[in-house]
């Protein structure tokens, strides 16, 4: 048994858990954990023990016959999207996006950042057999990995930059999930989708009525998630919608808002469990010589790389610049175009949703999975270098 020392509280499991939760609320720590989990997955999948990684990833568990990877991608990641939805709501109501023109900037950039990469992909892959099926692969931004890279490499940047990336990535992912439902699903089942809409409407109504029983909200969130999954729409949509519907104004007795309390509780769970487990089960792409070679010789794979690395940058930055130029949007006073340039490169981390679309467009294709991984790594490395330059410039009070 640990003995308390003078000036130091006694050690306990609860104390350790509390300190760990506080650490995970710091985005830099969470980002490091996610990147470490990604590296571990890549090493294991490409080691002599790679088949055991595949067996773990594809093990079917639970009542809905989902694999561990599917549970992480649709179940655990819904927790992350719930936190992301709350943060976007806070920014819209109280933060950097309260101005309509500032809020329009990442939204317009997100739509341009979906359309332009698809055009780049089609331009490169045009004429290759079956190329048209993969047009949507480079349209997605992986919100979890992009925020992790931003947190690790540029935590000192203004909050407005994170708000821009967060909103852009949420809109982007919702758009990509809609694309999957419309173009890459066998069919969307209407009855469960209407059921999910009804549950979410009840969630919103109870929030408006200031109903305080947390267990009821948890049950409603799980029900919305299950119904969304049964409808054929990616279940993480339920998470982000619950976050957006959570009330952000303080209680009448002075307590923090439901959104603030929910984020305080779920953020460590998201950063310490949901996102790292998902990263570990998603990142194990095999990098064999044949797949690596095809990235630069196969026109479909090359189209994915160009679409994510070049198309995303051109679409996000071009859409943002054009929207400001035409007067539809406004850039935050805390940001410069050099900052948005770096984040536009960061948006090329497609990863999760790109892998999901790629698997549906070309089932079992290692060339597409490898292309998505290589493109995401290139985008992450380039963005990290650019963000480092921006942090150094701001440190020297030399805003370029």
């Amino acid at each position: 048994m640990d003995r308390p020392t003078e000036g130091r509280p006694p050690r306990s499991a609860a104390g350790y858990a509390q300190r760990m939760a506080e650490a995970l609320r710091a985005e830099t720590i969470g980002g490091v954990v996610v990147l470490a989990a990604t590296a571990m997955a890549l090493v294991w999948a490409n080691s002599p023990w790679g088949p055991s990684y595949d067996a773990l990833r594809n093990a079917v568990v639970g009542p809905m016959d989902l694999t561990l990877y599917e549970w992480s991608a649709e179940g655990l990641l819904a927790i992350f999207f719930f936190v992301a939805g709350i943060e976007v709501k806070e920014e819209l109501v109280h933060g950097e996006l309260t101005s309509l023109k500032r809020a329009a900037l990442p939204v317009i950039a997100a739509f341009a950042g979906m359309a332009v990469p698809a055009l780049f992909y089609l331009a490169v892959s045009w004429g290759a057999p079956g190329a048209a099926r993969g047009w949507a692969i480079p349209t997605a931004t992986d919100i979890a990995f992009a925020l992790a890279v931003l947190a690790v490499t540029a935590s000192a940047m203004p909050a407005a930059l994170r708000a821009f990336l967060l909103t852009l990535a949420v809109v982007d992912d919702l758009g990509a999930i809609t694309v999957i439902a419309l173009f890459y699903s066998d069919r969307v089942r209407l009855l469960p989708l209407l059921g999910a809409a009804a549950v979410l409407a009840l969630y919103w109504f109870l929030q408006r009525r200031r109903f305080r029983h947390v267990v009821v909200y948890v049950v409603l969130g799980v029900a919305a998630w299950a119904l969304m999954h049964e409808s054929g729409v990616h279940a993480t949509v339920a998470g982000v919608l619950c976050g957006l519907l959570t009330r952000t104004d303080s209680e009448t007795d002075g307590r923090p808002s439901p959104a603030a309390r929910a984020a305080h509780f779920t953020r460590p769970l998201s950063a310490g469990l949901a996102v790292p487990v998902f990263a570990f089960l998603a990142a194990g792409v095999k990098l064999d010589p044949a797949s690596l070679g095809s990235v630069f010789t196969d026109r479909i794979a090359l189209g994915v790389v160009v679409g994510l690395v070049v198309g995303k940058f051109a679409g996000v930055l071009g859409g943002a610049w054009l929207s400001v130029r035409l007067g539809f949007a406004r850039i935050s006073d805390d940001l410069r175009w050099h900052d948005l340039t770096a984040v536009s490169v960061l948006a090329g981390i497609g990863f999760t949703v790109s892998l999901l679309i790629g698997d549906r467009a070309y089932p079992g294709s290692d060339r597409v999975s490898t292309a998505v991984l290589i493109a995401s790594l290139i985008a992450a490395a380039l963005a990290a270098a650019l963000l480092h330059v921006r942090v150094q410039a701001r440190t020297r009070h030399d805003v370029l």
Side-chain angles (χ1 to χ4, degrees):
M1 179 177 178
D2 293 319
R3 297 179 180 176
T5 57
E6 187 176 352
R8 182 186 300 173
R11 297 175 183 175
S12 66
Y16 281 123
Q18 184 177 0
R19 286 193 291 273
M20 183 177 295
E22 288 300 326
L24 289 170
R25 289 188 181 99
E27 281 203 327
T28 303
I29 301 297
V32 170
V33 173
V34 170
L35 297 178
T38 302
M40 288 172 60
L42 283 170
V43 170
W44 188 358
N46 290 279
S47 73
W49 302 277
S52 63
Y53 173 85
D54 292 333
L56 175 67
R57 186 179 186 272
N58 296 314
V60 177
V61 296
M64 301 175 73
D65 292 328
L66 299 177
T67 65
L68 282 177
Y69 167 70
E70 290 169 334
W71 275 115
S72 71
E74 296 201 35
L76 288 177
L77 212 57
I79 300 172
F80 170 80
F81 272 92
F82 174 69
V83 176
I86 286 176
E87 292 182 347
V88 170
K89 178 74 172 287
E90 288 280 7
E91 293 293 344
L92 289 169
V93 177
H94 303 295
E96 293 290 336
L97 304 177
T98 50
S99 162
L100 181 60
K101 285 193 173 183
R102 286 186 182 178
L105 184 67
V107 174
I108 295 173
F111 283 112
M114 293 184 67
V116 175
L119 295 176
F120 270 78
Y121 166 84
L122 290 172
V124 173
S125 65
W126 192 260
R133 294 202 307 272
W135 67 270
I137 297 173
T139 62
T141 294
D142 191 301
I143 179 173
F145 281 91
L147 288 175
V149 172
L150 182 66
V152 170
T153 60
S155 59
M157 292 293 284
L161 189 64
R162 186 186 183 281
F164 174 85
L165 176 61
L166 177 67
T167 308
L168 179 146
V170 167
V171 173
D172 185 294
D173 276 1
L174 288 175
I177 289 168
T178 302
V179 166
I180 292 173
L182 293 176
F183 299 100
Y184 295 95
S185 296
D186 294 333
R187 63 189 181 94
V188 174
R189 291 176 286 278
L190 185 60
L191 192 58
L193 188 60
L194 291 175
V199 171
L200 290 167
L202 179 58
Y203 184 101
W204 171 82
F205 175 76
L206 293 177
Q207 283 287 319
R208 289 292 299 269
R209 299 290 294 180
R210 296 182 178 271
F211 185 78
R212 293 188 177 183
H213 292 277
V214 176
V215 174
V216 173
Y217 290 117
V218 172
V219 170
L220 289 175
V222 172
W225 177 88
L227 287 166
M228 197 71 73
H229 172 78
E230 288 301 312
S231 74
V233 177
H234 206 272
T236 52
V237 173
V240 73
L241 290 178
C242 283
L244 289 170
L245 293 173
T246 302
R247 190 162 46 83
T248 57
D249 54 314
S250 300
E251 301 288 8
T252 54
D253 58 6
R255 290 195 305 163
S257 69
R261 298 199 305 272
H264 182 79
F265 176 78
T266 55
R267 188 173 283 112
L269 186 63
S270 171
L273 175 67
V275 180
V277 170
F278 158 73
F280 179 75
L281 293 173
V285 177
K286 292 182 179 177
L287 301 176
D288 57 88
S291 297
L292 286 172
S294 70
V295 170
F296 303 102
T297 56
D298 182 272
R299 290 170 63 186
I300 291 176
L302 188 59
V304 171
V305 174
V306 173
L308 281 171
V309 177
V310 182
K312 268 292 181 183
F313 165 72
V316 171
L317 186 61
W321 180 84
L322 192 61
S323 66
V324 172
R325 183 78 174 177
L326 295 176
F328 298 137
R330 178 188 170 196
I331 188 172
S332 170
D333 296 335
D334 293 333
L335 298 180
R336 300 293 182 269
W337 284 108
H338 290 80
D339 303 327
L340 294 189
T341 298
V343 166
S344 298
V345 176
L346 189 59
I349 302 178
F351 210 64
T352 317
V353 182
S354 291
L355 287 174
L356 179 62
I357 298 173
D359 185 60
R360 297 197 177 193
Y362 308 103
S365 175
D366 290 337
R367 59 177 179 167
V368 172
S369 298
T370 305
V372 170
L373 178 62
I374 294 299
S376 298
L377 290 175
I378 292 173
L382 289 175
L386 290 172
L387 287 167
H388 176 73
V389 170
R390 292 303 302 149
V391 170
Q392 294 299 312
R394 285 179 174 273
T395 301
R396 297 192 307 267
H397 304 287
D398 180 22
V399 181
L400 299 179

